[in-house]
């Protein structure tokens, strides 16, 4: 099994920045893709970003492209989400996830393990 712990969430003003971290432990040797999803109150969980094992492939939701950057440090078993030029619409609980089988994916169903989430709140 893989355990994921997110950190770095908090309160930011519009136009500000936050960096989320997700540290994985357990059977991390079998992990492949890692991704970030978010869910705002009353809304469905949506894809944010994904990255392959090597970092050579990245995907971004159109709503965050150019503002958010996903990266990973396999030596630390950690994936990051650098969020710049934050907007109130970015307010949500952010979840990291790991896939054991696919290289990278936008689909939540392709992920096998999920963190508990970290709250990001952006004020206008």
């Amino acid at each position: 099994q893989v355990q994921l712990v997110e950190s770095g969430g908090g309160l930011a003003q519009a136009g500000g920045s936050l960096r989320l971290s997700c540290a994985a432990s357990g059977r991390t040797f079998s992990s492949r893709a890692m991704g970030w999803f978010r869910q705002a109150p009353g809304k469905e969980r949506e894809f944010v970003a994904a990255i392959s094992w090597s970092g050579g492939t990245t995907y971004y939701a159109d709503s965050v492209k150019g503002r958010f950057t996903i990266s990973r440090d396999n030596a630390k078993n950690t994936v990051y989400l650098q969020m710049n030029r934050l907007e109130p619409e970015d307010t949500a609980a952010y979840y990291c996830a790991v896939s054991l089988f696919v290289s990278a994916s936008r689909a939540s169903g392709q992920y096998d393990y999920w963190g508990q989430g970290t709250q990001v709140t952006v004020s206008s």
Side-chain angles (χ1 to χ4, degrees):
Q1 63 179 21
V2 177
Q3 297 179 349
L4 304 172
V5 179
E6 300 103 332
S7 62
L11 179 65
Q13 295 184 358
S17 298
L18 287 172
R19 189 183 74 159
L20 306 184
S21 299
C22 176
S25 62
R27 299 184 64 182
T28 57
F29 63 89
S30 62
S31 65
R32 298 294 182 267
M34 298 190 73
W36 288 96
F37 295 77
R38 67 187 183 186
Q39 187 169 23
K43 297 184 179 180
E44 297 180 353
R45 183 173 297 181
E46 65 176 353
F47 168 78
V48 177
I51 188 169
S52 63
W53 174 257
S54 67
T57 300
T58 57
Y59 297 138
Y60 295 96
D62 289 342
S63 60
V64 307
K65 189 174 298 183
R67 299 189 297 117
F68 292 8
T69 302
I70 188 171
S71 62
R72 66 190 298 169
D73 185 341
N74 291 337
K76 297 181 178 180
N77 299 125
T78 300
V79 64
Y80 305 94
L81 185 68
Q82 179 66 46
M83 305 185 295
N84 297 327
R85 300 190 300 280
L86 284 164
E87 303 170 354
E89 292 75 17
D90 296 318
T91 295
Y94 284 71
Y95 300 87
C96 68
V98 169
S99 173
L100 302 181
F101 304 104
V102 301
S103 60
S105 178
R106 299 177 176 90
S108 61
Q110 295 293 312
Y111 292 86
D112 303 287
Y113 296 96
W114 295 80
Q116 295 182 347
T118 184
Q119 180 67 38
V120 172
T121 302
V122 183
S123 62
S124 60

